[in-house]
Amino acid sequence: MAKKKLIAAPSILSADLGRLEQEIQECRTAGASFLHYDIMDGHFVPNITFGPDFIKRFSKEGMFNDVHLMIDDPLKYAAKCINFGADLITFHLEAVDDPIETQEMIRQFSPKIKVGISIKPRTPIEKILPFLNHFDLVLVMSVEPGFGGQQFIISSLDKIRRLRKYIDDQKLNTLIEVDGGINAETIEMVREAGVDVAVAGSYIFKSSDKREAIKTIIGA
Ligand code: DX5
Ligand code: ZN
């Protein structure tokens, strides 16, 4: 059977911030179509990165702007991210009381916005299945959120496989994205398990050949 082609989503967390514009252009010309922004608040995760201003600065580079909010209060910043060019806002199930209401409120900021829901490695998929139909994307964290460069948690594969089956059985359009510890080896495991989009930070940006790393992810 032919290899399934994936969408590559480089995470700028691991990029060279001093030449970010060039880094993004290199990713785009190599075939990556999503650009993944990891926004952290130092509360939901033990790290702080950048805020929505980053999206404003880099969202015009011709990529699909995939914003991963690892923050306690996604609604506080969602509108700003959307106004600055976000195409997809993904928030964490663990951060909100009512995920359906949260996605409804995010959609009110713009009719075009896509909304995703993410789960941490220890959150079972059963917690999101009942309302997956409200989401454009489900993001399976395959490391504890907070830092790039961690090792892929192998139990994520089973979560991806079961999500794939559920989404196909229910005929949903929800995309499955995986984030954390993706490299030349784990990409083939997640491809086989059924993901659609793969986020990668260190594998792409610490590689001596970004183009090759992106091609490996896509499966071209
Ligand atoms: C981790 C972030 C990831 C991170 C992935 O909390 O959500 O997007 O950049 O980095 P790698 O690919 O290095 O594991
Ligand atoms: Zn991320």
Side-chain angles (χ1 to χ4, degrees):
M1 205 168 72
K3 242 188 195 182
K4 176 178 176 179
K5 288 233 167 78
L6 303 185
I7 294 169
S11 163
I12 57 174
L13 187 61
S14 303
D16 178 349
L17 298 186
R19 48 187 298 278
L20 194 46
E21 211 164 308
Q22 284 152 273
E23 294 261 69
I24 294 171
Q25 282 312 321
E26 283 168 37
C27 289
R28 191 179 61 77
T29 55
S33 46
F34 279 32
L35 187 63
H36 189 83
Y37 298 77
D38 287 305
I39 298 190
M40 307 184 190
D41 64 358
H43 293 274
F44 183 74
V45 289
N47 193 12
I48 297 177
T49 52
F50 41 79
D53 285 348
F54 249 66
I55 306 169
K56 187 179 189 182
R57 176 72 180 76
F58 297 104
S59 61
K60 294 169 193 74
E61 301 296 333
M63 295 175 78
F64 180 86
N65 296 290
D66 164 15
V67 177
H68 179 191
L69 294 179
M70 283 163 276
I71 62 178
D72 277 336
D73 189 355
L75 287 174
K76 196 166 167 188
Y77 296 98
K80 208 167 186 187
C81 293
I82 294 167
N83 290 337
F84 286 171
D87 296 296
L88 163 71
I89 298 280
T90 298
F91 64 87
H92 269 264
L93 171 75
E94 302 87 356
V96 300
D97 293 328
D98 187 337
I100 298 180
E101 189 184 75
T102 304
Q103 65 82 32
E104 272 167 8
M105 290 176 79
I106 294 174
R107 288 186 201 282
Q108 278 170 15
F109 295 130
S110 159
K112 284 191 311 209
I113 192 72
K114 306 276 186 218
V115 187
I117 182 113
S118 182
I119 48 170
K120 297 208 259 184
R122 275 175 279 194
T123 303
I125 64 162
E126 284 68 26
K127 291 223 164 142
I128 48 170
L129 294 183
F131 45 80
L132 212 51
N133 58 322
H134 292 272
F135 289 89
D136 300 294
L137 177 142
V138 54
L139 170 54
V140 177
M141 286 306 301
S142 43
V143 297
E144 283 300 333
F147 300 91
Q150 303 180 72
Q151 206 184 349
F152 183 85
I153 297 172
I154 211 80
S155 55
S156 318
L157 291 174
D158 185 52
K159 290 166 96 171
I160 295 167
R161 273 187 214 111
R162 289 189 295 123
L163 274 168
R164 177 80 277 148
K165 182 169 179 352
Y166 182 85
I167 287 169
D168 290 349
D169 287 351
Q170 301 292 317
K171 299 188 170 48
L172 303 181
N173 293 319
T174 315
L175 292 174
I176 306 177
E177 183 176 50
V178 65
D179 185 2
I182 292 301
N183 57 36
E185 191 187 341
T186 54
I187 190 68
E188 299 313 329
M189 302 178 186
V190 298
R191 191 191 313 279
E192 179 272 329
V195 295
D196 303 293
V197 186
V199 177
S202 26
Y203 175 53
I204 294 175
F205 292 107
K206 309 290 181 224
S207 147
S208 54
D209 190 345
K210 271 198 274 294
R211 178 168 288 272
E212 206 41 51
I214 289 171
K215 286 220 157 69
T216 303
I217 292 172
I218 295 170

